[in-house]
Amino acid sequence: MIKFGTSGWRGIIAKDFTYDNIAIVSQSIANIINENRKERPASVIIGYDTRFMSEDFATSSSEILAGNGIKVLFCKRDTPTPVIAYDIVNSKLTGGINFTASHNPYKYNGLKYSPSWGGPALPETTEKIEKYCASLKSKDIKYISFETGIKNKIIEIHNPSNGYIKKIKELVNFKALKKSKIKVAVDVLHGTGNGYLDTLLEMAGIKNITINKNRDVMFNNGAPEPSENNLKDLINLVKKESYKLGFSTDGDADRFAIIDYNGTFITPNQVISILLYHLNKTRGWTGIVARSVMTTHLIDKIGAKIGTSIEETPVGFKYIGDIMVNNPDKFIIGGEESGGLTIRGHIPEKDGILACLLVAEALAMSKKSVTELLKDIKKITGEVITSRLNFHLEPEVMEAFKDKLKNKIPNTFAGIKIKKYVNIDGDKFILDDNNWIGFRLSGTEPVVRLYAESDSQTKLNKLLKEGKNFIYGR
């Protein structure tokens, strides 16, 4: 059964992610596009990342969309998801498909579908795709060869980079970057950020060194995830060579990681908070901030000081993108604790390349380090410490925990009264002292994610301990 998750359909290559299944999903998308098509011809950009066979899967999908009379703009090289999203909006395309499993391990591949508004497809769209997938037969698949598509000009080799680069230069203060003389180290983790993040840094006059630029479909026998554990080489490089910053993007460059000058890994929660503070201070932006449910309330505390409203969403950037599209002039920034953000005037999709450049801008304009900016924020918000733990559970423990969440919601946690229960995506308890703890089940594996946030390390440790006991029924 083909199911879409928070950001597209993913599966293990050759087991779930096969040519036959790609054909079914592509035909389903083509059916939906043609059902909703206006008088003008439909056109779709199709891209791919650096994974094993991504360009071959993209070629196969192109043959099916072209077979359904849909114009295909086929990316000439591996392409970041935010670049595809921008091209959809900028070129007024019907939609876009990117073959990528983002930050997941090398054995996975995936398909992200974005409609004409540029953000990830919302549930009502992916549910329609799933229904088509369940009913389609092989005889329903329409197809023409890639060569025939090129000859008939229904498939066109396409370079979406120029428009995207121009947009980034409008969003980021390149003049400030050029004056700053910041030195930056970059790790693109063998992904699509190569040729984008480093190129933009060079355009901004930022001296940089970029590692892991070569294509490695095995991602060094791991995953192109910009986590602290995966960035030891970058951290060591930043410290050894005295770089001001370290940047990293994931496989399709929609997620980011930031390393401060001293080798400190700056969490996405902290980056989103810094950039909210920076955008208000330098651009005077106020309005709406969107964050997913398990993302830090440090954002809320900053918002309370600068006069913003907070929109809390389920996990999945499509929900943040939807808020952005419906509030284009009021939207300031949207972000998720997993490492994605966008800002006013950009695309309703996460963009790791933009995130890195905005952090460089924040340092250039403030003449401070990331650590110093966090200290400035702490002065106005007080202490906020956040943690996330993952627990792999045996089936019987998982079922018992699910039953507890369904039927035995507590009135107190760690000896403190629960004043608010939030269950828009997972289970989150806001305590009387304004600290909180949350639980969210993975949709793809027997994992419970435990989130907690407090104003002291001692309280946070107690919450985490009680949270673990709550999961295991102790």
Side-chain angles (χ1 to χ4, degrees), residues 195-209:
Y196 281 93
L197 179 53
D198 50 343
T199 296
L200 282 159
L201 287 167
E202 288 164 10
M203 288 179 174
I206 299 291
K207 291 183 179 180
N208 69 92
I209 183 171

Side-chain angles (χ1 to χ4, degrees), residues 5 21 75 91 102 114 134 141 148 182 196 199-200 208 293 329 335 399 460:
N21 281 340
C75 291
S91 301
S102 191
S114 302
I141 309 297
T148 300
I182 292 173
Y196 281 93
T199 296
L200 282 159
N208 69 92
V293 63
D329 298 326
E399 289 306 311
L460 181 68

Side-chain angles (χ1 to χ4, degrees), residues 420-436:
K420 186 178 180 182
Y421 170 48
V422 181
N423 64 344
I424 60 172
D425 191 345
D427 298 83
K428 178 177 172 181
F429 308 131
I430 313 294
L431 308 179
D432 247 2
D433 59 1
N434 290 320
N435 296 323
W436 62 270

Side-chain angles (χ1 to χ4, degrees), residues 96-333:
I97 296 172
N98 199 17
F99 281 84
T100 176
S102 191
H103 62 290
N104 288 96
Y106 65 86
K107 65 181 179 179
Y108 286 87
N109 212 318
L111 181 156
K112 290 185 178 183
Y113 172 59
S114 302
S116 60
W117 60 286
L122 291 167
E124 53 263 36
T125 299
T126 56
E127 285 167 10
K128 286 181 183 178
I129 295 172
E130 289 169 355
K131 286 179 181 178
Y132 265 122
C133 290
S135 63
L136 283 174
K137 305 288 190 261
S138 58
K139 64 181 178 61
D140 300 319
I141 309 297
K142 299 174 184 177
Y143 158 92
I144 64 170
S145 72
F146 195 84
E147 294 74 17
T148 300
I150 292 287
K151 182 180 178 181
N152 294 341
K153 298 183 178 180
I154 196 166
I155 299 177
E156 176 184 316
I157 305 301
H158 182 60
N159 180 7
S161 65
N162 291 338
Y164 173 82
I165 287 172
K166 181 181 177 183
K167 183 63 177 179
I168 295 298
K169 291 170 76 173
E170 293 171 359
L171 292 168
V172 178
N173 189 335
F174 270 48
K175 288 183 179 179
L177 293 181
K178 286 178 181 178
K179 289 180 183 178
S180 69
K181 298 181 180 179
I182 292 173
K183 284 175 56 183
V184 175
V186 179
D187 187 347
V188 291
L189 294 172
H190 309 287
T192 61
N194 177 38
Y196 281 93
L197 179 53
D198 50 343
T199 296
L200 282 159
L201 287 167
E202 288 164 10
M203 288 179 174
I206 299 291
K207 291 183 179 180
N208 69 92
I209 183 171
T210 301
I211 61 175
N212 294 321
K213 295 174 69 171
N214 63 300
R215 184 179 185 183
D216 176 1
V217 299
M218 303 289 285
F219 303 110
N220 196 29
N221 292 318
E225 180 178 9
S227 63
E228 187 172 5
N229 286 339
N230 280 350
L231 296 176
K232 291 177 182 176
D233 288 345
L234 179 64
I235 291 169
N236 290 333
L237 182 61
V238 168
K239 291 193 293 185
K240 182 179 178 182
E241 302 295 335
S242 300
Y243 285 97
K244 187 74 171 178
L245 284 166
F247 292 148
S248 184
T249 50
D250 71 339
D252 64 330
D254 66 348
R255 298 186 184 211
F256 62 87
I258 307 296
I259 309 299
D260 204 7
Y261 74 97
N262 55 7
T264 301
F265 180 86
I266 308 301
T267 69
N269 278 325
Q270 292 171 318
V271 173
I272 299 163
S273 301
I274 287 168
L275 292 182
L276 171 59
Y277 177 75
H278 169 69
L279 291 170
N280 173 261
K281 195 169 184 178
T282 61
R283 291 159 172 76
W285 287 0
T286 59
I288 296 171
V289 176
R291 61 159 177 78
S292 56
V293 63
M294 299 300 177
T295 298
T296 180
H297 286 205
L298 178 57
I299 295 168
D300 305 45
K301 291 178 181 287
I302 296 169
K305 296 293 182 180
I306 65 176
T308 69
S309 61
I310 306 296
E311 295 281 347
E312 191 170 55
T313 73
V315 175
F317 211 82
K318 53 198 169 191
Y319 301 109
I320 291 172
D322 191 40
I323 291 170
M324 178 183 182
V325 168
N326 289 313
N327 302 276
D329 298 326
K330 295 180 179 179
F331 185 86
I332 305 173
I333 191 171

